[in-house]
Amino acid sequence: MDIQSLRAEIKDYTEGALLPFWIQRTVDKQLGGYITHFNEFGEDAGDDEKSLIAMTRSVFTYSQAYRHGFGGEVMKEMATHGVRFLLDKMWDTEHGGFYWMVNRAGEATNKQKIGYGHSFAVYSLCEYTLAMGDPVGLEYAEKVFDLLQKYAVDTHHGGYWEFFAADWSLMGPGAPGGDRKTLDVHMHLMEAFTTLYEASGKEIHRRKLKESIDILIYKIMDPKTGTGIPQFWADWSVAPQIKFDIVWGWDRFQEGGQKASAVDNTSYGHNSEFGWLLLHALKVGKIDAAPYLDTIKKAFYHSMENGIDWEYGGVYVEGSHSGGPTDVEKEFWQQAEMLIGMLDAYLVTKDPQFLKAYEQVHRFVFDKMINRNTGEWWPLMTREGEPIWRHMAHNWKINYHNVRSMILSYEKLGEINLNL
């Protein structure tokens, strides 16, 4: 494994193709914020919407790139441009929090308050402050944190509810999502509270970070396998995984709103992402890692042993907690998170099999998943690497996963190289 050539490949591609894709087309100079819907040719797809998830993730991307020395001064300008739109157009001055969806002009089209979106508001605004030194990001991140503690915490069973109406009243049961707790929102709240504590240094933020870690470890991750369980009832008993009104990716599954295996399914990419995010959280929070390492290692090994496609490369979408894959397609974000996770897994265990797993995913991404005509990644591919979905970007398929993956893989490969 030639680490130096892998790093050079990452750096050249990220600076020469991936970031330029966004630099050239995403800033909406007329209406503010970002244009985030592009077809397979990189052309504006024309959708009249700007989502909280796409705006915040984009702010994170440009802030992180600037903070880590990628992309140059234009990253600073692009991040600041996005923050201005978030605060001017998407902040609800009546009830607090951010609208879920606005049109291109910034007029609210869905005023719901979604915990998942607010986790990324905290994450991105803190990254912006850390990168730029502008205190307004942390100011609004703390406002969101306070709203989540007031409205989203389940004070009886612990953890966070996720789906709210405009006034922060909890949504109803079933598809509106008001009766379930999810792995997704708790993992991303851990991610958000990590960066919040890094930016603020406040003990309350560290305490809530530690609490979110313990919820993940003791309530959400399967203790035998270290794998993530997607959905729960209020009391943390496992709930069948259903399709929420606000969600993505379900058009690959059967009609009826529930997966074929609604209980026994776990995402390899999520488990790898959980592992590396938790390691980062423990480091930033100065929390003793020893009580958590067993679960982290289980998550990494399960992802590698069951999720890596050793024949065609890349990582499968998902499978059983106890065994192999049930969905062998290749989705963009799982590849991105597996790259970071496999490098962290090696750093923790020194097992060379994780470096081999990293290389399998790296080669699949660079040889198959990157659309060389645009520089962005295909969203979903067959096991062999033929595109199934062909758009380059929309609300959910944005730059956050792959740019972050390139930056952190570049840095972690450098760390590994120093220790070899």
Side-chain angles (χ1 to χ4, degrees), residues 5-68:
S5 68
L6 292 174
R7 292 187 84 218
E9 188 173 27
I10 290 170
K11 183 79 167 178
D12 292 347
Y13 159 66
T14 305
E15 298 281 20
L18 181 56
L19 286 174
F21 176 91
W22 297 96
I23 292 167
Q24 293 162 13
R25 45 175 68 77
T26 192
V27 172
D28 188 338
K29 295 175 182 176
Q30 180 185 357
L31 297 171
Y34 308 113
I35 296 165
T36 53
H37 293 67
F38 299 103
N39 66 18
E40 68 175 291
F41 307 107
E43 300 162 340
D44 183 354
D47 300 58
D48 184 22
E49 58 186 25
K50 289 171 179 168
S51 69
L52 178 59
I53 205 71
M55 295 302 109
T56 53
R57 284 179 165 185
S58 294
V59 166
F60 173 85
T61 295
Y62 310 132
S63 299
Q64 188 199 38
Y66 186 78
R67 187 180 172 197
H68 289 253

Side-chain angles (χ1 to χ4, degrees), residues 55-194:
M55 295 302 109
T56 53
R57 284 179 165 185
S58 294
V59 166
F60 173 85
T61 295
Y62 310 132
S63 299
Q64 188 199 38
Y66 186 78
R67 187 180 172 197
H68 289 253
F70 280 74
E73 285 297 311
V74 70
M75 294 290 100
K76 184 175 184 178
E77 298 166 19
M78 289 169 68
T80 303
H81 178 85
V83 169
R84 195 174 301 120
F85 185 83
L86 276 171
L87 303 188
D88 290 349
K89 300 291 188 179
M90 299 191 76
W91 181 259
D92 183 345
T93 56
E94 181 181 0
H95 299 293
F98 290 99
Y99 301 131
W100 178 247
M101 190 77 68
V102 299
N103 62 19
R104 287 201 179 189
E107 299 160 335
T109 56
N110 184 334
K111 294 185 177 183
Q112 272 189 261
K113 306 295 158 54
I114 308 298
Y116 187 90
H118 283 80
S119 72
F120 279 97
V122 173
Y123 188 48
S124 64
L125 290 168
C126 290
E127 187 72 19
Y128 171 75
T129 290
L130 286 163
M132 313 303 172
D134 183 347
V136 75
L138 178 58
E139 176 191 343
Y140 275 83
E142 290 198 70
K143 289 181 180 181
V144 171
F145 172 83
D146 291 344
L147 287 163
L148 290 171
Q149 303 314 310
K150 182 177 181 180
Y151 293 115
V153 170
D154 179 350
T155 53
H156 184 54
H157 293 290
Y160 292 81
W161 301 111
E162 186 172 354
F163 296 96
F164 303 89
D167 64 356
W168 288 95
S169 57
L170 190 63
M171 296 295 288
D179 61 346
R180 278 172 162 81
K181 296 169 183 171
T182 70
L183 161 63
D184 233 357
V185 80
H186 286 85
M187 189 175 78
H188 290 299
L189 284 172
M190 175 183 73
E191 173 183 50
F193 295 165
T194 300

Side-chain angles (χ1 to χ4, degrees), residues 368-398:
K368 298 289 181 71
M369 188 147 263
I370 296 169
N371 176 358
R372 294 293 176 177
N373 293 323
T374 66
E376 247 298 335
W377 297 17
W378 296 110
L380 183 70
M381 310 192 83
T382 64
R383 181 187 177 192
E384 296 79 13
E386 291 296 322
I388 298 172
W389 296 344
R390 305 189 70 90
H391 56 273
M392 288 294 95
H394 60 40
N395 286 326
W396 290 95
K397 199 272 181 184
I398 200 71

